[in-house]
Structures are given as C-alpha cells and as structure tokens.
Amino acid sequence: MSKRILLNAFHMNCVVHQSPGLWTEPGDKMEAYTDLETWVELARLLERGFFDALFLADVVGVYDVFRGNREAAVANAAQIPVNDPAILIPAMAAATKNLGFAWTSSVLQNHPFAFARTVSTLDHLTRGRVAWNIVTSYLESGARNFGRDALPEHDERYAIAEEYLDICYRLWESSWEDGAVVKDRRRGIYADPSRVHSVDVDGKYYQVHGVHLSEPSPQRTPLLYQAGSSPRGRAFAARHAECVFVLGPNPGVVAQYVSDTRDRARAFGRRPDDLKFLAYIKVITGGTETEARRKYDEFLQNISYDASMALLSGWSGIDFGQFEPDQPLEYVETNAVRTLVHGFTAADPSRKWTLRDLARYVGIGGAGPVLVGAPEQIADELQKWIDVGVDGFNLAYAVTPGSFVDFVDGVVPVLQRRGLAQSAYEEGTLREKIYGRGQRRLLDRHPAAHYRRAPRAPISEAPGRAAASAGE
Amino acid sequence: MSKRILLNAFHMNCVVHQSPGLWTEPGDKMEAYTDLETWVELARLLERGFFDALFLADVVGVYDVFRGNREAAVANAAQIPVNDPAILIPAMAAATKNLGFAWTSSVLQNHPFAFARTVSTLDHLTRGRVAWNIVTSYLESGARNFGRDALPEHDERYAIAEEYLDICYRLWESSWEDGAVVKDRRRGIYADPSRVHSVDVDGKYYQVHGVHLSEPSPQRTPLLYQAGSSPRGRAFAARHAECVFVLGPNPGVVAQYVSDTRDRARAFGRRPDDLKFLAYIKVITGGTETEARRKYDEFLQNISYDASMALLSGWSGIDFGQFEPDQPLEYVETNAVRTLVHGFTAADPSRKWTLRDLARYVGIGGAGPVLVGAPEQIADELQKWIDVGVDGFNLAYAVTPGSFVDFVDGVVPVLQRRGLAQSAYEEGTLREKIYGRGQRRLLDRHPAAHYRRAPRAPISEAPGRAAASAGE
C-alpha cells in the first residue's frame, strides 16, 4: 500500500458541533447525544470503516461574542449544552477493539496531577487507544467559569501549557520505571518501591510533589494532538504534537502551514515526518454527484444564520452582530475582519460576498472546506491534499450518523481500492497504528522521551526486599 | 415487604482496597483492575444480586505515614496504584440497566465548574444512576500533589466543601430551568435562552461566572453520599447527605452515631429518615459455617502486616512503624493511639492485643467488622444492624469477585425470602430506587432544593422568540 490516509471523525459531545442549524434535519440524531447508544453505534460504524480515531472537540465556555450575549448559541444549541467528552470513551472502547479516541482538554480546566491520572486510566482501560488534544482555550467565557477575570494573554497561555505538559510528562514517563510493577504473587510483592519516584515541580503556575497514582499504561504518554496556528502555537506544535490538526480553505494554503511546521520540528531534534497532519474537511457524498448536490442544497437551505454567526464570532472574537446581514462584505470590512474574512471569500473571490453568504459558507463547512460529489470524485479531491503533504483528515459531519455512513459505505471502499485506506488495523496501541508496530511509546526523538529513566537490569532477589522481574 | 436493606458493594479502582495482602489469593482477580471486563463483569454480578449500587472509593495521595515512607504501600499495592474511579462508570452502565454507581471525589482535586459538568455528563449517560461521595481528603500526600504544603485544617476543609457544594448546587439546580430545553425541531429552537441563567459566585475559595454547560440531567444533583464522623463532619452530613456511610465495630456503636446524625438533620429542616445510613461491613460466607470459617482462616493467614499498618497509619495519621509488632498494645498505648485502638480491641477486650493482632484484625476487616458464617447466620447478623436503625450496608470484599459471588448466591436469596432484599428494581433514577417512584430529584426538604427556580408557565409563541413547551 502507498502511504495510507489517516482518518479521524471529528465530533463533540453536544447537539451541534460544526453544522449550525442541521440538528433539525430528519437524518440527524444528535439530539440523542446524552444516550450512550448514540456513541456506541457511532464508534462501531467508524471501526467498520477502519477509521483511526474518533476525535472529540470541547469548549469550557459559551459562544457569547455575537451580539454580546449567548442567546443565539443557546437557542440553536451551538456547542451548548456541551458535555464532558472523556466520559464517553470507556463505553465506546468496550464496544470496539481498534478504534482510537482523541479528546480535547484545556490546560485551564483541570489540575495536571488529576488530569494525568484520568488520562492514564483511559489509556489502561482502552489498552492504549487514546490521544489528548492539547488546547489553551479561546473563549473568554471559559476563563470566567474558572475564576479568572479573562483569559491569560495568548503567549502566556502557551507558557502555562508548557509547564502543564512538563508535569504530565514527568508523571507519565518518569515516576514509575519500566520494571517497577513486578506482580510477584508468590512473594506478595506488587511493585518495587525503589523504582517508583516522586515528581517534584515548583513551577510558576503549578506545584506537584508526589508519585503518579497510576502505574504505566500501554502508551504512557497518550498520542498527542495539537492545532497551533499562531507563530507561538506553531512552535508549540512543532515541539510537542504527534498529530497536528490543520484547517485551511484549500490544499495550497494548508501545504504552506504543513511545511513550515515540519521545518520548525527540526529545531527540537525531531524529523519532519514525525508530525502527522490531519486536515479538517467536510464531505457531502451520495450514490451520484446529483444526489450529493441535492443533499448539499438541502443542508445549505437549513443553515442557521444566527448559530453560524455565534460560532464565527466566538472563534474570531469579533462580534459579527454589528454588521448588516445583506451588506456586501467589502463594505463592512474593517482591518480585523478583512484578514479573517479573506480566508473564506478566497474560495470564490469573483463573487460579491454578503455576511449572509459568509454565514452559509461557514455554516455548511464549519469554517472549513466542503467536498461535494460522488465517492470517486471525493477520493480524487482527497488525494490532492495528500499530494501536498497532508497525512490524513479530520472528517467533520453535516449530519450524524448520515455523513459518516455515506463516507464509510461510499468513499472508504474507493480509497481502499486505490490503496489509500487500510482494510485491516495494525495491532497494538493507537501510536503503533499510526507509527507502526512496536512504537507503543513516544518516539525517542520526542522531547518527552528525555524524561525517561535509563533502563536498569532486574535486581536480584534479596530476602525481605522487593524484586523486579524483566517484565513490566 | 418490610423495610428492605439497601445494598452497596464497596470497591476501588485499584488492586488492594480494604484487604491488604489478599490480592495474591487464587480467587482474587483485582490484578486485572485495568481491564474494562473486570468491572463490567462485577457490575453484571451485582445487578444479578439486586444491589443498589457499586460504591467506588478513592484517594488522591499515597499512604506514606507508616515508617515515614510509601514503601509498604507501594510494595503491597495498598491503594496505590489507584486509577480514576469515574472513568469506570460508563462501560458498566452500558452493560447494566438498574445498578447505581457511586464514586468518591475530593473537593481538593477538581475545580467545581469542571466537576459539575463531569457529574451531569455521567448522570445523563447512566439515565440518572449516579451518586457522588463528597470527601475532603485525609492524606497529607494528597494535598502536596495539588500544590498545597499541607491539608487545610479540618474545619476549613469543610468550609471549602460548603462553598464547593454551593457552586455545584447552583449549576445543577438553578442554571437551566425546567422547560428551558424545548427541542422544537420545526422552529429550529433547541433551548429557550431566557430560561438559562448564569451562576455568579465570588467566594472565598472559588469564583465562577457562567452558565452550567450541561442541560439538566435526570437527577440534576446526583444522589449525595457522605461519611462525616467528627462533629463538623456530622453537621455536614446532617445537612447535605442523602446516604451516610458509617463505620463502627458493632450495631450499638453505630446506632448512637445514626441517631445523633438523624437528630442533627432536623436543624436543617430535614426529617430524620431523609438520611439513609449504610454501615461498612465485610462478609465471609460459604455453603456452611465450616466452609466460611475455613475461608476466614485462610484469608487471615495471608493478611500483610506491612500493608495493614500502611493503611491504618494513613487513616489515623499515627506512624505505627514506631511500635514493635509483638509488644502488647496496652504497653505502647499513648493517648492518641489509645483512642484509636480502643475501637478495635473492643471487639475482644479480654484478649491481650499486640500490634500484630491488630494488623490482622484491621487487615481482615478493613478497619471494620467482619461477619463469618453460613448465609442464614449472616442474614441474622445483618438484621441486628437493621434493627438499630441502619438502612443498609456497604459491603467490602476479601476477594473479588469471590466475596460478591458468595454474597449474591448465598445471602441475597435468604434476605429475599425474609422480605429484606428486593427481587426487582424500582424503575427510574437511583434516587427513585432509594426514595420511591417519582423522587427523581432532591427531596423538597433538602437544602439544595432552595436553589430551584419557581416553575414558570410555558410562554406563548411570539415570532422570532424562543418558545417553551411544557415538556422538559
């Protein structure tokens, strides 16, 4: 097989993720986001389509920038209500064998000591199938929920994240040595205390003094996702991320970002292809191009202007409620808006865009590109992204489960025939499925590998002392 | 049926909970605590025995008081490693229909805004089957893991807990009105923004400004467990707890605590029997008394002295490593030790207790009473506890699943024949199963009921405005 495409389904524990207005479509079942069955069925579907992972986004605030309040978001269920994503994973893991589970957790929301244990617990229970998407939050409302007057300024958020990761890495990689857990039932020794070490950090933002409460899980550090786009964010991704989530209107724009971030990775001792890039994309397909176009038109019709603007205003921090929906955008563009809007209108610069057009564009695509067509056409388009250096996709949905059913039954077989999608899973942890068999843990070139302790020979048995076997 | 006995299984996401040394027994499977299957099978077993709930304990530190270090705890897996308990619940919920799930979370470990959402998520996914055991932590090592030099002093821990609960109650009970979620697909309105309210708390310990991110779950506030024993702790339990976890050597001692706490509840406008008391107990049973005694003797033989002392030292804060194992206790008793030890040696005051005896006693019982006998004998003993006002039991295990298999197959049928155990589950949420059908949410007399908003009539439809139906 030539280089296969990595496939993530992009989702969220809520009614409306990136398709504002479409929860009312007959084919959308996300009103039942509080039922375990909804998620178990989705996970089974994705595994049937040999997806690598289900990626769960999250926010810890509401979209209240549009018109200066949360009304549009609440009325349209635009990422509110939104439940805890990590809690969904265990039941889905019990119903699948190979599918991975990535979820978002902001460094603002949990203390790293508690968070590191939750992650290790999930990695144990899923036998090494989890990934953490590291975020630093963008909603001011999220900061206020956690006792801050405002978000720390952008670069400081990354400084907090660096310290947070430093603590997590220490807990995951260095607290319990390989070989610490001996499980010697005959001698009644579970672990060798001389191989379990305290983590001691007196940082600027966090202090931790103690051993990790979890023994080493299959991956130790979970597979790491990140999506930094600012210069500071790119440096962070170049240093820490294994999978980078990237959003851009077309392969050309994304290719620039990909190659820049791969280059930056060298500065941290990593190789460019240690980083896997997953491009955000939405696919609307059907048996024929006509059928796909019909679906697209129906969806476009039902995009909610308010919900779309609530999301866009929240993402950008610009209140689009100050502009008239039917004014041409060239008229209302301020400098801040110009930069933002340009990314979207570039899709069709010949057109005179109004805010209403933009809302529909943002709504149908979820701020990213949309591919519409028959499965063969979709496969052709996806290949263009791969050709410029992207490794795979974060597949957003218009409706659930419909969009994923269409992709699994229509597009995946085409990709498989072309040798671009897997027809069986690699064994082992999620990291092994991405990087190849044997790569259970972080690559040696990853900066967190420095936290590992040098392997020790098993100590010989001595009466009354813990003994370590070669096992782990 | 006369008053039925409430049954909880008492467990922990670790190898050794309250039976130090017994993980090496052939019948103990808790070495596989990192496998989802272990927990799914346990949940199914408990549901077959019509247990009310599986109650998961937790600690966020290690037992390092004994000999001033963590060696004994780590070597013997005495509550270390210990994984996140909440993460176990969804997979067990997917495999059962009626069993409840209680878990412990300290106010030290998570910010209340994030915690409240995790709880609501679990309550949604389990359809209202969760209970939270509110704890304030007792291990100094836990405080150091979260950036504190030491635990806040005892009464301040309760002050923190009061503020933590105040925030959680506001989020669960008052942020989203009944009727806020309208799910009007025709008009494209998911929720009525005028019925979703911000929670604003500027407390001494926490600040929260925002709406609860979760819509109301079946129970809103989960069923509340607590286990306060100090005067401040009793007042806290009397005010907040629905189920109170109580530990004492015999029915007489426990009866005093029960009646005192019930009396205190009146001061908070509650009725004495609004509180349900669950006594800690360990049962070792078999087909006959002889078989049960044989098991008991085998278990007693294998209790680990070090692990037992590690736990007892951690619970009490007294380093029992300073005393000789074979010295009579009357000799080594200091004032602090005297009080503690008295509770145990009261079980057999005629005997000259050594520390080694105490370790075995604490080890086999897990610091609480042990019943040994044939199922009929066990049922007789349990009835004595019920007769003095206890409502049910937290059933600790010697080995898992063995201890629960013996209880479900041996004791439950006897209790059922006597009309003391249920043979079918009440429908609805965990709270309904305890308090009766229709009692999905907190009793009106519970202090958190004051946070509820007065019901409003559905507002009539007005163009362009969100409409609320009578539903929820």
Side-chain angles (χ1 to χ4, degrees):
Chain A
M1 187 165 84
S2 55
K3 185 178 145 184
R4 76 172 178 93
I5 295 177
L6 301 178
L7 285 177
N8 272 209
F10 194 36
H11 227 293
M12 197 167 187
N13 193 358
C14 64
V15 181
V16 174
H17 179 204
Q18 304 252 18
S19 46
L22 302 191
W23 71 275
T24 60
E25 285 287 313
D28 192 84
K29 306 287 183 217
M30 289 317 297
E31 212 184 277
Y33 75 102
T34 55
D35 291 349
L36 273 174
E37 294 73 23
T38 303
W39 298 98
V40 166
E41 280 167 27
L42 177 62
R44 287 199 174 119
L45 168 66
L46 298 173
E47 189 161 89
R48 179 159 73 73
F50 298 100
F51 271 62
D52 291 279
L54 168 62
F55 176 10
L56 296 161
D58 194 22
V59 288
V60 290
V62 293
Y63 288 79
D64 58 4
V65 176
F66 181 57
R67 296 178 188 146
N69 63 55
R70 65 179 170 258
E71 278 199 26
V74 169
N76 293 283
Q79 305 192 3
I80 174 79
V82 55
N83 280 347
D84 188 331
I87 293 293
L88 294 175
I89 296 172
M92 293 192 288
T96 55
K97 198 170 169 291
N98 286 291
L99 186 68
F101 302 96
W103 83 103
T104 297
S105 181
S106 167
V107 300
L108 285 189
Q109 77 196 82
N110 295 300
H111 191 280
F113 187 82
F115 178 70
R117 183 171 73 139
T118 299
V119 172
S120 294
T121 304
L122 281 165
D123 203 50
H124 275 298
L125 295 177
T126 63
R127 300 200 172 133
R129 287 193 273 151
V130 294
W132 169 34
N133 178 39
I134 310 159
V135 302
T136 60
S137 293
Y138 53 85
L139 294 172
E140 290 289 341
S141 60
R144 292 193 298 272
N145 290 331
F146 289 92
R148 294 174 185 267
D149 293 334
L151 283 176
E153 59 86 18
H154 180 271
D155 281 10
E156 192 187 2
R157 296 213 295 278
Y158 278 101
I160 295 172
E162 288 285 356
E163 195 174 304
Y164 197 95
L165 272 173
D166 172 69
I167 292 168
C168 288
Y169 289 154
R170 285 172 198 272
L171 291 165
W172 290 327
E173 298 289 334
S174 79
S175 183
W176 293 63
E177 292 181 34
D178 284 346
V181 177
V182 295
K183 298 191 182 179
D184 183 338
R185 292 174 84 96
R186 192 179 50 80
R187 309 178 67 227
I189 295 168
Y190 188 83
D192 175 354
S194 75
R195 295 185 163 207
V196 181
H197 308 278
S198 187
V199 163
D200 289 287
V201 175
D202 280 301
K204 183 171 170 193
Y205 307 103
Y206 304 101
Q207 296 78 43
V208 168
H209 293 276
V211 298
H212 190 34
L213 297 180
S214 300
E215 62 180 282
S217 67
Q219 299 187 111
R220 284 188 178 256
T221 297
L223 190 68
L224 297 172
Y225 278 37
Q226 215 267 335
S229 58
S230 67
R232 184 69 188 82
R234 285 187 201 202
F236 188 90
R239 184 162 184 223
H240 298 285
E242 296 175 276
C243 292
V244 184
F245 170 48
V246 43
L247 189 150
N250 56 54
V253 169
V254 166
Q256 266 186 315
Y257 171 83
V258 169
S259 104
D260 174 70
T261 311
R262 288 200 202 276
D263 280 347
R264 287 168 189 259
R266 291 183 208 271
F268 300 104
R270 306 178 71 194
R271 295 193 190 144
D273 64 356
D274 288 354
L275 279 68
K276 309 298 178 190
F277 289 84
L278 302 169
Y280 174 100
I281 211 152
K282 197 179 279 188
V283 167
I284 296 174
T285 188
T288 61
E289 184 178 349
T290 314
E291 193 191 323
R293 293 256 153 239
R294 192 189 48 70
K295 285 187 198 177
Y296 175 84
D297 291 340
E298 183 190 322
F299 293 151
L300 198 64
Q301 204 64 34
N302 289 316
I303 291 301
S304 156
Y305 176 82
D306 277 14
S308 200
M309 285 293 113
L311 291 175
L312 185 62
S313 300
W315 293 329
S316 64
I318 297 164
D319 175 10
F320 282 88
Q322 66 190 296
F323 308 123
E324 278 305 309
D326 297 308
Q327 247 172 347
L329 275 176
E330 55 182 2
Y331 181 79
V332 299
E333 276 184 40
T334 62
N335 272 342
V337 179
R338 187 186 307 270
T339 316
L340 179 86
V341 167
H342 180 74
F344 298 118
T345 56
D348 183 0
S350 65
R351 181 164 151 198
K352 279 236 181 287
W353 286 70
T354 64
L355 202 58
R356 201 176 295 280
D357 295 329
L358 185 66
R360 279 154 46 112
Y361 180 83
V362 167
I364 192 74
V370 193
L371 304 182
V372 186
E376 293 280 350
Q377 295 172 302
I378 300 294
D380 293 346
E381 288 301 313
L382 293 181
Q383 219 160 338
K384 289 180 190 164
W385 294 70
I386 298 300
D387 290 344
V388 300
V390 164
D391 300 283
F393 300 95
N394 257 325
L395 200 72
Y397 66 93
V399 292
T400 293
S403 298
F404 296 109
V405 171
D406 291 345
F407 194 89
V408 166
D409 291 338
V411 181
V412 169
V414 177
L415 295 174
Q416 285 171 328
R417 280 198 297 276
R418 297 186 188 183
L420 290 170
Q422 61 188 358
S423 303
Y425 282 101
E426 178 64 70
E427 292 201 6
T429 67
L430 180 56
R431 189 174 279 112
E432 286 176 281
K433 293 179 204 307
I434 307 281
Y435 286 99
R437 191 170 309 186
Q439 197 61 58
R440 267 206 305 166
R441 306 223 164 129
L442 288 164
L443 297 176
D444 291 339
R445 296 182 294 274
H446 190 280
H450 297 303
Y451 291 94
R452 291 180 192 148
R453 286 166 193 275
R456 279 203 273 164
I459 43 175
S460 56
E461 296 198 6
R465 281 284 303 158
S469 78
E472 180 196 326
Chain B
M1 188 165 84
S2 54
K3 185 178 145 184
R4 77 171 178 93
I5 294 176
L6 302 178
L7 286 177
N8 272 210
F10 194 37
H11 228 293
M12 198 167 187
N13 193 357
C14 64
V15 182
V16 174
H17 179 206
Q18 305 252 16
S19 46
L22 301 192
W23 71 276
T24 59
E25 285 287 313
D28 192 85
K29 306 288 182 215
M30 289 317 298
E31 211 184 279
Y33 75 103
T34 56
D35 290 351
L36 273 174
E37 296 71 24
T38 302
W39 298 98
V40 166
E41 280 168 26
L42 177 62
R44 288 199 173 118
L45 168 66
L46 297 173
E47 188 161 90
R48 180 160 73 72
F50 298 100
F51 271 62
D52 291 279
L54 169 62
F55 175 10
L56 296 161
D58 195 21
V59 288
V60 289
V62 292
Y63 288 78
D64 58 5
V65 176
F66 181 58
R67 296 179 189 145
N69 63 55
R70 62 180 172 260
E71 278 199 28
V74 169
N76 293 282
Q79 305 192 4
I80 174 79
V82 56
N83 280 348
D84 188 330
I87 292 292
L88 294 175
I89 295 172
M92 293 192 288
T96 55
K97 200 172 168 289
N98 287 290
L99 185 69
F101 302 98
W103 84 101
T104 297
S105 181
S106 167
V107 299
L108 286 190
Q109 78 195 83
N110 295 299
H111 191 281
F113 187 81
F115 178 70
R117 183 172 73 137
T118 300
V119 171
S120 294
T121 303
L122 281 166
D123 202 50
H124 274 299
L125 294 177
T126 62
R127 300 200 173 133
R129 289 193 274 151
V130 294
W132 169 33
N133 179 38
I134 311 159
V135 302
T136 60
S137 294
Y138 54 84
L139 293 172
E140 291 288 341
S141 60
R144 291 193 299 271
N145 290 331
F146 289 92
R148 295 173 184 268
D149 292 333
L151 282 175
E153 58 87 18
H154 180 270
D155 281 11
E156 192 187 2
R157 295 212 297 277
Y158 278 101
I160 295 172
E162 289 284 355
E163 195 174 304
Y164 196 97
L165 271 173
D166 172 69
I167 291 168
C168 288
Y169 288 155
R170 285 172 198 272
L171 291 165
W172 291 326
E173 298 289 333
S174 79
S175 182
W176 293 64
E177 293 181 32
D178 283 347
V181 177
V182 295
K183 298 189 181 180
D184 183 337
R185 293 174 84 96
R186 192 178 52 80
R187 309 179 67 225
I189 295 167
Y190 188 83
D192 176 355
S194 75
R195 294 184 164 209
V196 181
H197 309 278
S198 187
V199 163
D200 290 288
V201 174
D202 281 302
K204 182 170 171 195
Y205 307 102
Y206 304 102
Q207 297 78 44
V208 170
H209 294 276
V211 299
H212 189 36
L213 297 179
S214 301
E215 63 180 279
S217 67
Q219 299 188 111
R220 283 188 179 257
T221 296
L223 189 68
L224 297 172
Y225 278 37
Q226 216 267 337
S229 59
S230 67
R232 183 71 187 80
R234 286 187 199 203
F236 188 90
R239 183 162 183 224
H240 297 286
E242 296 175 276
C243 292
V244 184
F245 170 46
V246 42
L247 189 149
N250 57 55
V253 169
V254 166
Q256 264 185 316
Y257 171 82
V258 168
S259 105
D260 174 71
T261 312
R262 287 200 203 277
D263 281 347
R264 286 167 189 260
R266 291 183 208 272
F268 300 104
R270 305 177 72 195
R271 295 193 191 144
D273 63 357
D274 289 354
L275 280 68
K276 309 297 179 192
F277 289 84
L278 301 169
Y280 174 101
I281 211 152
K282 196 179 280 189
V283 167
I284 296 173
T285 186
T288 61
E289 184 179 349
T290 313
E291 194 191 323
R293 293 257 152 236
R294 193 189 46 70
K295 285 186 199 180
Y296 175 84
D297 291 340
E298 183 189 323
F299 293 151
L300 198 62
Q301 204 63 31
N302 288 315
I303 292 300
S304 154
Y305 176 83
D306 277 13
S308 200
M309 285 293 111
L311 292 175
L312 185 62
S313 299
W315 293 329
S316 63
I318 298 164
D319 174 10
F320 281 88
Q322 67 191 296
F323 307 124
E324 280 303 310
D326 297 308
Q327 244 173 348
L329 276 174
E330 55 181 0
Y331 182 78
V332 300
E333 276 183 40
T334 63
N335 272 342
V337 179
R338 187 186 306 271
T339 316
L340 178 88
V341 167
H342 180 73
F344 298 118
T345 54
D348 183 0
S350 65
R351 183 165 149 195
K352 278 237 180 288
W353 287 70
T354 65
L355 202 58
R356 200 176 297 279
D357 294 330
L358 185 66
R360 280 155 43 115
Y361 181 82
V362 167
I364 192 75
V370 193
L371 304 182
V372 186
E376 293 280 351
Q377 295 171 303
I378 300 293
D380 293 345
E381 288 302 313
L382 294 180
Q383 219 160 337
K384 289 180 190 164
W385 293 70
I386 299 302
D387 290 344
V388 300
V390 164
D391 298 283
F393 300 95
N394 259 323
L395 200 72
Y397 66 92
V399 293
T400 293
S403 297
F404 296 109
V405 171
D406 290 346
F407 194 89
V408 165
D409 291 338
V411 181
V412 170
V414 176
L415 294 174
Q416 286 171 328
R417 280 198 297 276
R418 296 184 188 183
L420 290 170
Q422 61 188 359
S423 304
Y425 282 102
E426 179 63 71
E427 291 200 7
T429 65
L430 181 56
R431 189 174 279 112
E432 285 177 282
K433 293 180 203 307
I434 307 280
Y435 285 99
R437 193 173 303 190
Q439 196 62 58
R440 267 205 304 165
R441 305 222 163 130
L442 286 163
L443 296 176
D444 292 339
R445 297 182 293 274
H446 191 281
H450 297 302
Y451 291 95
R452 290 179 191 148
R453 287 166 192 277
R456 281 203 273 163
I459 44 176
S460 55
E461 296 197 8
R465 281 283 305 157
S469 79
E472 183 194 326

